[in-house]
Amino acid sequence: MDSDTKGVLLMVLSATSFGTLGVLGKYASAAGLSIPTVLTYRFLGGTLCFWALVAYSGKLRVLRGRALGVAVLLGAGFYAAQSGLYFLGLEYMTAGLVGLVIYTYPVLVVVLSYVFLDERITRYTVVGLALALGGVAVVSGVDPAGADPRGVAVVLAAALVYAGYYVTSHVALDDVDAQTLTAYVLPSAGVSFVVFGLATDSLTIPTTGYQVTILAAVALLATAIPIGAFFAGLAYIGASRASIISSLEPATAVLLGVILLDEPLAAATIAGGLLVLVGVLVIQRE
């Protein structure tokens, strides 16, 4: 198998694995697992797996001083907030629609870069933003059965926070590669949910085999595997092609929601989802 094919397959694995998070979140909620519990096990379990992969590759880099402090704050602040809002959105919306709405974050990255970094706005930016937000409007306005307005607002907030994480990390840590940053962000986010869970008495220990299985799937299938596959695939095919293949993530979320959760697949969902995907691809073309 040539390197190009390996890269494509790894990115497909990454995107589709990330797409399982919404469905697994629904399963976790139905099993009586709180959001702090799920995210604690997700990030701490994912940390162990990801560190093992990075250490095996010999690319684990030690951060100190300011770089370490910024990485910890990004994880405990931005990434933890984004994840919490994502799972909160699952309480109001279908897994598929949450996957679609959260995928607006690349467009929001461009907007934040314009506002705070004085980067230019081009016709691609305007068209991409209009298409993506138009897609969200179609989904939330025409498909009220699956898209609670509160859920749309919460998941859009999650997308905005993640865009803020992306922009802040590139400005504050422009000399730290994404793989190293991820190795510190994951445990920082996990510890923040341990603290939050203990403070709110919402952190629990799984008591059944089913709960353990769900938490293991969230940590491994929806966290460590897609992150590891993403960085491995990136080395083969580069960022531009990787970003295009990543559009399989929201499509996977919608498909799994229909198959595994019997979620409705309205025409509005398809139309709005396509608008979001096309808007993001237009932005990424630039």
Side-chain angles (χ1 to χ4, degrees):
M1 185 183 299
D2 60 72
S3 60
D4 189 74
T5 302
K6 288 181 182 178
V8 170
L9 291 177
L10 284 166
M11 292 310 305
V12 169
L13 173 62
S14 174
T16 53
S17 294
F18 270 130
T20 66
L21 183 59
V23 168
L24 291 173
K26 289 285 191 180
Y27 284 155
S29 178
L33 294 167
S34 68
I35 291 176
T37 298
V38 176
L39 293 178
T40 293
Y41 283 89
R42 179 196 184 197
F43 288 122
L44 296 185
T47 295
L48 294 176
C49 298
F50 186 67
W51 276 8
L53 289 172
V54 177
Y56 177 77
S57 67
K59 297 180 180 179
L60 186 59
R61 173 185 167 191
V62 177
L63 295 182
R64 296 183 177 87
R66 175 184 173 277
L68 175 60
V70 173
V72 169
L73 287 175
L74 284 170
F78 282 96
Y79 208 66
Q82 184 268 341
S83 300
L85 289 169
Y86 178 96
F87 273 76
L88 180 60
L90 288 171
E91 297 186 0
Y92 296 100
M93 294 168 63
T94 64
L97 292 183
V98 169
L100 286 174
V101 176
I102 195 71
Y103 200 65
T104 59
Y105 80 87
V107 180
L108 299 178
V109 167
V110 175
V111 174
L112 291 182
S113 297
Y114 169 74
V115 174
F116 295 105
L117 304 181
D118 200 29
E119 293 190 0
R120 65 193 182 97
I121 288 287
T122 69
R123 65 179 183 275
Y124 293 115
T125 305
V126 175
V127 172
L129 179 61
L131 287 171
L133 295 183
V136 173
V138 168
V139 167
S140 59
V142 187
D143 187 20
D148 187 308
R150 294 170 297 177
V152 173
V154 168
V155 181
L156 278 177
L160 181 61
V161 171
Y162 188 61
Y165 162 84
Y166 188 93
V167 172
T168 302
S169 64
H170 277 261
V171 173
L173 296 175
D174 58 350
D175 60 339
V176 177
D177 64 273
Q179 184 167 293
T180 298
L181 178 61
T182 301
Y184 287 86
V185 164
L186 290 177
S188 301
V191 170
S192 71
F193 280 108
V194 171
V195 173
F196 179 81
L198 292 174
T200 58
D201 196 29
S202 58
L203 186 63
T204 60
I205 297 175
T207 57
T208 68
Y210 181 62
Q211 289 180 333
V212 171
T213 300
I214 292 173
L215 292 174
V218 169
L220 186 62
L221 181 60
T223 306
I225 287 177
I227 292 175
F230 177 83
F231 286 120
L234 197 63
Y236 288 115
I237 64 174
S240 296
R241 293 177 65 192
S243 65
I244 294 173
I245 298 173
S246 293
S247 63
L248 287 172
E249 179 184 336
T252 300
V254 172
L255 185 61
L256 290 178
V258 172
I259 295 173
L260 300 178
L261 301 175
D262 198 27
E263 293 181 347
L265 184 60
T269 303
I270 298 173
L274 287 174
L275 286 174
V276 170
L277 294 179
V278 171
V280 170
L281 291 176
V282 167
I283 289 287
Q284 291 172 337
R285 181 186 185 282
E286 184 179 2

